[in-house]
Amino acid sequence: MKRRFLTRKAKCFPRRNALYVSLFTVMVAFPVWSEAQQTADASGYRIPPKALVDLVDARLTPLVSVGTSQQWMLLMELPTLPSIDELSQPELRVAGLRINPRSNGRSRSRYFLGLKLKRIEDGSQKAVTGIPAGARIGNVEWAPDGKNIAFTLTQGDRVELWVAEVQTGAARPVLDVRLNAAYGQPLQWLADSQALVCKVVPADRGPTPSKPTVPSSPTIQENLGGKAPARTYQDLLESAHDEALFEYYTTAQVVRVTLKGENHPIGTPAITRTIKPAPNGEMLLVETVHRPYSYLVPVHRFAHRVEVWDLEGKVVHQVADLPLAEDVPIPFGSVPTGPRNFGWRADTPGTLYWVEAQDGGDAGKEASVRDRVYMLPAPFSGKPQAVITLGLRLAGIQWSNEDVALVSESWWQTRRTRTWVVRPGALEAEPKLLFDRSTEDHYNDPGSPLSRRTASGHRVLLTANNGKKIFLTGQGASPEGNRPFLDELDLTSGKVKRLWRSEAPYYERPVKLLDAEAGLLMTSRESVEEPPNYYVQDLKRKRTRRLTNFPHPTPQLRNVQKELITYRRNDGVQLNAALYLPPGYSPMLMWAYPREYKSADAAGQVTDSPHRFVDISPTSSLVFLALDYAVLDRPSMPIIGQGDKEPNDTYVEQLVASAKAAVDQVVQRGVAHPDHIAIGGHSYGAFMVANLLARSDLFAAGIARSGAYNRTLTPFGFQREQRTFWQAPEVYFRMSPFMHAQKINEPILLIHGMADNNSGTFPIQSKRFYHALKGHGATARLVMLPHESHGYRARESVLHMLWEMTEWLEKYLRRKQESARITSARTP
């Protein structure tokens, strides 16, 4: 690669041109700084340079969903960023939920602005009509027969149920009652495709519980000796009034709604977590939450009842009544005691299955048996049958027929995963081991089995040759980068046949095997300069047909060079990163996120592709390519603990070594100067930034967004650390940059959402860290974004964040670099 950075050094100018260099630098070398500086003295939200504004406001590529009949694909139009006015609307935060009290829906859920249908066979397209302007579309669900699409439409204070007919594209409301979308999925199709079960706001709910102006009693919590360790959750219940609001907004009436709009109540109103229709369409598996509630854990750990109902709401069978789960142990892989993970066998009319821990749910205890899977067919009067006993924790089940089901198990501590073939119709037969590997070993990942929808809408394995063959897709990680694939696996012989693989210069991934017998595969194809578009591959005739023509969303970045680079740490661990170089680049921004591994070999594996499209989200570090910054994206920062060693025991040493290797690599390549590199990161990446500035002098500046800096505020574990503060106080202390704030002598920009709901990253983390930095005279700036969560959504917030980052990088990176060039030019 051309060493462009070195050829642009100012030392090539003679001394007599020093004045010219100074004037040229002021007029030309700081165009970005000058543009950004125009708003530096303004009050309120700031606006970054236009080049960044254009990226933030770029039109988004639609999301695509393939219909159950596999004849149509649905194109869902995404909105650009919402306004801060939208995020400022009232929001209720209780029991780990965030609810819009006006609409009785989720306050921060994804929505779509419009829908289009495209026929896969000929590419013809039509819009879904009848949707009111400004309405928000959500919870899109295809009917099992593929003839209709159900979705919610939020307008003002209502969440409504709508259906679009695929043949005509016409959409219409089918229920004149407000849906309750505050908790769980608000709608589910029944097997006949002629009706849905929905959750609605009870007609007699009454007024919102008012907050007492005078408290009637103190809020009291008590523990009588039982252990209840818990990670640091946000938005928990805190008072009796919170409990009343939680019940008010989450209590729903389950109803059966026909396509004609007929409304039939099912059962009585309750806090309904899930509703799962049986494949036969005659029963519902319903989970409802009940008291006691918790002030320590969110709603998914509350007491709940699991029952089978008929379509009138009569309880056919009570599966379980489970207590509050506050006492789940801390180690990863720990689960509540008793039955869990309830579902229907997808290949039978009405057979329940679930799993039960055999080790007390404690992953910290030694045990040869961890889980056992059970099933029980209707009418649920017999004894549950044991399907398989597992030495690891259940990871998932894929049903096919009486002769084949795949059961996967995994264990975090060893990163081991196994997949078994079982015969549900002959449980006396020994399970057959299909895969046994490390979850970290991406190079030898066999892929994931494909599935298909049955006539009832449930998913079963996609098979061929009378169920003897299955199909696998995966990323196809390799030393040259990811190359997604489609394989055929013979379950009898274990032989694998490769049917298709992505080829350079494209990154292409399977989306849907449309017809296994005919060899028709839908893929998504992209390259560095071409955005993802959809194609149909005829594998037998070796033909390709293009389905979509989505335009380049950011054509101004077409000339960015992308390279997947590899290099080594001082202990021999191989690392990799994506290097982006815009024309005329100068300083460099590195953006990273540490990850834990048990294997050094696995940590060095390449899990990206040099052919992926330069896709830029508004909050991505890649936006700075538009301002001519070089970007080293996701340089490996592995924290390895092989064998019985814990990764975090040497976190600092490994982190600094990885960062030094990245810096050395870009300097050696001539694409960056060691004095003009900034380090940035979000969440655990922000924690990384603070640690690198405290423990090294590798970077000129740092940007840390939404991080946690004092690990004593997350005493029952954080990230992948399973030990508590009391078990490993020296690790918590050493890893906390708050404890080493006096060592930070580089400028650091802290940004945090004031409504952060991520576990452990309370906004106070950034506030207290800033106070520590200021107390020691560090150069630091704290920016708290109103109403923003762990990720930032409002257009004003994102633009202001980019303005802050631009100012920081220009001031402490680019101006510093240009000043060095001027000094170099003046030196004989």
Side-chain angles (χ1 to χ4, degrees):
M1 177 177 290
K2 188 176 180 181
R3 296 165 66 89
R4 290 185 291 178
F5 176 85
L6 297 181
T7 62
R8 296 177 61 219
K9 283 189 178 244
K11 64 182 181 181
C12 62
F13 290 96
R15 182 180 177 86
R16 63 177 179 273
N17 285 337
L19 178 59
Y20 166 77
V21 172
S22 298
L23 292 174
F24 181 81
T25 300
V26 172
M27 293 186 295
V28 180
F30 300 137
V32 175
W33 172 259
S34 299
E35 189 176 0
Q37 187 64 30
Q38 292 176 5
T39 58
D41 298 326
S43 60
Y45 287 95
R46 307 291 212 271
I47 304 296
K50 184 178 182 301
L52 300 192
V53 177
D54 290 344
L55 291 179
V56 169
D57 292 337
R59 187 174 180 178
L60 301 177
T61 300
L63 289 185
V64 170
S65 172
V66 178
T68 49
S69 68
Q70 303 192 145
Q71 297 176 359
W72 294 87
M73 54 194 298
L74 183 67
L75 279 57
M76 299 172 280
E77 180 187 353
L78 290 163
T80 53
L81 296 177
S83 69
I84 191 65
D85 177 69
E86 179 179 328
L87 260 67
S88 301
Q89 298 304 308
E91 180 180 63
L92 177 64
R93 304 170 187 167
V94 289
L97 303 176
R98 294 197 166 183
I99 299 169
N100 182 333
R102 184 185 181 197
S103 66
N104 216 116
R106 300 298 289 266
S107 64
R108 296 172 186 249
S109 58
R110 168 180 278 183
Y111 62 90
F112 307 105
L113 298 178
L115 305 174
K116 291 181 181 178
L117 286 159
K118 180 181 281 288
R119 189 188 294 273
I120 294 174
E121 183 179 11
D122 58 15
S124 60
Q125 185 171 295
K126 58 187 173 185
V128 174
T129 60
I131 298 175
R136 298 182 174 185
I137 302 163
N139 301 289
V140 178
E141 294 287 342
W142 288 87
D145 63 7
K147 295 180 180 179
N148 290 281
I149 302 169
F151 54 90
T152 58
L153 210 65
T154 302
Q155 302 185 86
D157 63 350
R158 294 173 64 86
V159 178
E160 302 173 350
L161 174 65
W162 282 57
V163 168
E165 186 181 67
V166 173
Q167 187 64 33
T168 64
R172 60 184 175 84
V174 293
L175 182 64
D176 189 26
V177 179
R178 295 174 63 195
L179 293 185
N180 188 327
Y183 177 43
Q185 180 70 4
L187 59 91
Q188 294 279 348
W189 282 99
L190 289 176
D192 62 2
S193 297
Q194 299 302 305
L196 303 98
V197 285
C198 303
K199 295 192 291 187
V200 304
V201 174
D204 58 350
R205 182 168 70 172
T208 308
S210 57
K211 186 174 184 177
T213 55
V214 178
S216 59
S217 68
T219 298
I220 299 172
Q221 299 183 60
E222 183 178 20
N223 190 57
L224 298 176
K227 292 183 179 180
R231 296 237 165 184
T232 313
Y233 296 107
Q234 314 272 48
D235 302 336
L236 300 177
L237 295 176
E238 295 182 356
S239 66
H241 180 60
D242 280 353
E243 295 182 37
L245 290 173
F246 165 68
E247 289 182 336
Y248 181 83
Y249 285 105
T250 58
T251 298
Q253 172 67 59
V254 178
V255 298
R256 178 177 176 269
V257 184
T258 70
L259 292 179
K260 297 179 180 180
E262 299 166 333
N263 177 357
H264 306 280
I266 301 175
T268 58
I271 302 174
T272 309
R273 175 188 287 180
T274 61
I275 309 170
K276 299 177 182 177
N280 63 12
E282 299 174 359
M283 297 177 291
L284 305 173
L285 179 60
V286 182
E287 297 186 32
T288 53
V289 173
H290 62 77
R291 290 178 179 271
Y293 305 144
S294 172
Y295 289 16
L296 184 67
V297 294
V299 62
H300 70 268
R301 301 261 293 266
F302 285 9
H304 60 287
R305 191 173 294 112
V306 185
E307 299 169 324
V308 177
W309 297 358
D310 64 19
L311 294 185
E312 300 300 322
K314 178 184 176 181
V315 177
V316 176
H317 175 64
Q318 179 169 304
V319 184
D321 192 351
L322 300 166
L324 185 65
E326 285 187 336
D327 58 351
V328 178
I330 287 296
F332 292 109
S334 296
V335 295
T337 55
R340 69 180 198 281
N341 293 23
F342 306 92
W344 295 105
R345 266 189 63 178
D347 59 321
T348 62
T351 299
L352 288 173
Y353 77 90
W354 65 90
V355 62
E356 294 185 26
Q358 305 299 301
D359 59 356
D362 188 352
K365 292 171 54 177
E366 292 292 330
S368 58
V369 175
R370 295 290 179 182
D371 273 347
R372 184 170 292 129
V373 178
Y374 293 93
M375 66 180 183
L376 181 65
F380 317 113
S381 56
K383 183 179 179 181
Q385 298 172 285
V387 178
I388 187 172
T389 299
L390 301 172
L392 310 179
R393 196 68 77 202
L394 177 71
I397 303 178
Q398 291 177 282
W399 304 97
S400 180
N401 51 48
E402 293 289 355
D403 291 322
V404 175
L406 300 184
V407 181
S408 297
E409 59 177 342
S410 64
W411 196 245
W412 163 255
Q413 282 82 348
T414 59
R415 312 301 198 271
R416 189 180 185 187
T417 181
R418 295 186 297 217
T419 300
W420 301 87
V421 181
V422 298
R423 297 184 61 190
L427 295 179
E428 67 279 4
E430 285 292 321
K432 177 183 176 182
L433 183 62
L434 185 63
F435 304 129
D436 187 354
R437 65 182 189 86
S438 167
T439 56
E440 295 181 337
D441 186 3
H442 300 285
Y443 288 176
N444 292 298
D445 184 352
S448 301
L450 293 182
S451 63
R452 63 174 179 86
R453 286 192 182 274
T454 65
S456 68
H458 293 73
R459 286 198 169 277
V460 296
L461 281 169
L462 178 61
T463 63
N465 193 21
N466 296 320
K468 295 179 181 178
K469 294 182 178 180
I470 63 173
F471 300 91
L472 304 167
T473 62
Q475 285 291 345
S478 68
E480 65 266 25
N482 286 351
R483 297 182 61 189
F485 63 85
L486 170 67
D487 284 351
E488 180 184 81
L489 171 64
D490 189 310
L491 292 175
T492 303
S493 66
K495 291 183 179 180
V496 175
K497 178 182 178 182
R498 178 133 299 173
L499 302 178
W500 175 90
R501 190 184 189 191
S502 178
E503 299 290 343
Y506 299 107
Y507 172 83
E508 194 166 5
R509 61 178 180 84
V511 175
K512 178 79 69 173
L513 187 54
L514 300 173
D515 190 325
E517 185 175 343
L520 297 180
L521 173 69
M522 180 187 290
T523 64
S524 173
R525 175 191 288 181
E526 62 191 86
S527 69
V528 174
E529 295 186 353
E530 298 177 28
N533 270 288
Y534 291 85
Y535 294 77
V536 173
Q537 304 285 349
D538 188 328
L539 303 181
K540 291 189 175 180
R541 294 186 176 93
K542 306 298 182 183
R543 296 176 182 174
T544 300
R545 176 166 56 88
R546 185 166 181 158
L547 282 174
T548 61
N549 287 282
F550 299 137
H552 197 304
T554 54
Q556 62 270 44
L557 296 179
R558 282 188 183 274
N559 294 325
V560 169
Q561 298 180 32
K562 178 184 177 181
E563 182 182 1
L564 198 60
I565 64 173
T566 58
Y567 49 99
R568 290 191 179 275
R569 206 163 69 178
N570 59 5
D571 58 0
V573 174
Q574 180 171 292
L575 309 175
N576 61 82
L579 175 63
Y580 296 85
L581 301 175
Y585 62 87
S586 49
M588 173 173 283
L589 172 63
M590 287 189 187
W591 200 266
Y593 191 95
R595 297 190 184 278
E596 297 83 355
Y597 293 88
K598 294 300 291 182
S599 163
D601 290 340
Q605 291 185 354
V606 177
T607 56
D608 196 358
S609 168
H611 308 302
R612 296 215 68 169
F613 178 62
V614 184
D615 187 18
I616 299 178
S617 70
T619 58
S620 167
S621 62
L622 299 185
V623 298
F624 290 96
L625 295 170
L627 302 185
D628 294 332
Y629 282 87
V631 176
L632 191 70
D633 192 42
R634 289 172 287 120
S636 302
M637 298 284 177
I639 311 299
I640 305 166
Q642 300 192 87
D644 295 331
K645 295 181 180 178
E646 291 291 338
N648 285 339
D649 288 346
T650 53
Y651 171 87
V652 172
E653 293 83 357
Q654 293 193 63
L655 184 70
V656 173
S658 296
K660 185 178 186 304
V663 169
D664 290 346
Q665 177 64 199
V666 294
V667 171
Q668 179 183 346
R669 285 172 169 259
V671 296
H673 189 283
D675 295 334
H676 308 139
I677 303 173
I679 183 68
H682 188 95
S683 192
Y684 204 53
F687 176 72
M688 169 206 72
V689 169
N691 265 303
L692 285 174
L693 297 187
R695 300 309 189 94
S696 76
D697 292 309
L698 293 167
F699 301 99
I703 299 174
R705 299 190 326 213
S706 298
Y709 309 102
N710 183 351
R711 286 305 171 193
T712 67
L713 297 180
T714 55
F716 285 101
F718 58 90
Q719 199 68 7
R720 293 302 179 183
E721 176 55 63
Q722 301 181 88
R723 296 167 295 183
T724 70
F725 167 77
W726 297 274
Q727 292 171 320
E730 68 287 348
V731 172
Y732 278 67
F733 184 92
R734 194 160 185 261
M735 287 183 66
S736 296
F738 178 87
M739 309 301 181
H740 308 278
Q742 79 281 7
K743 301 175 185 177
I744 295 180
N745 54 14
E746 297 88 5
I748 182 170
L749 172 63
L750 303 173
I751 303 175
H752 212 122
M754 294 176 69
D756 194 329
N757 66 336
N758 183 57
S759 176
T761 53
F762 286 114
I764 198 173
Q765 288 272 7
S766 287
K767 293 179 181 179
R768 291 291 179 259
F769 189 43
Y770 172 73
H771 293 166
L773 292 167
K774 186 173 183 179
H776 287 92
T779 300
R781 181 176 174 90
L782 173 64
V783 180
M784 302 298 294
L785 299 173
H787 305 296
E788 292 294 349
S789 185
H790 193 58
Y792 317 141
R793 292 192 62 201
R795 181 176 184 270
E796 292 86 345
S797 299
V798 171
L799 290 177
H800 186 91
M801 175 201 74
L802 294 176
W803 179 86
E804 294 280 359
M805 293 175 67
T806 299
E807 293 275 299
W808 206 252
L809 293 174
E810 293 290 321
K811 185 175 183 180
Y812 295 109
L813 219 62
R814 181 161 280 157
R815 281 179 36 170
K816 178 181 176 182
Q817 177 175 316
E818 297 302 333
S819 177
R821 288 177 178 168
I822 295 171
T823 302
S824 178
R826 289 173 175 170
T827 302

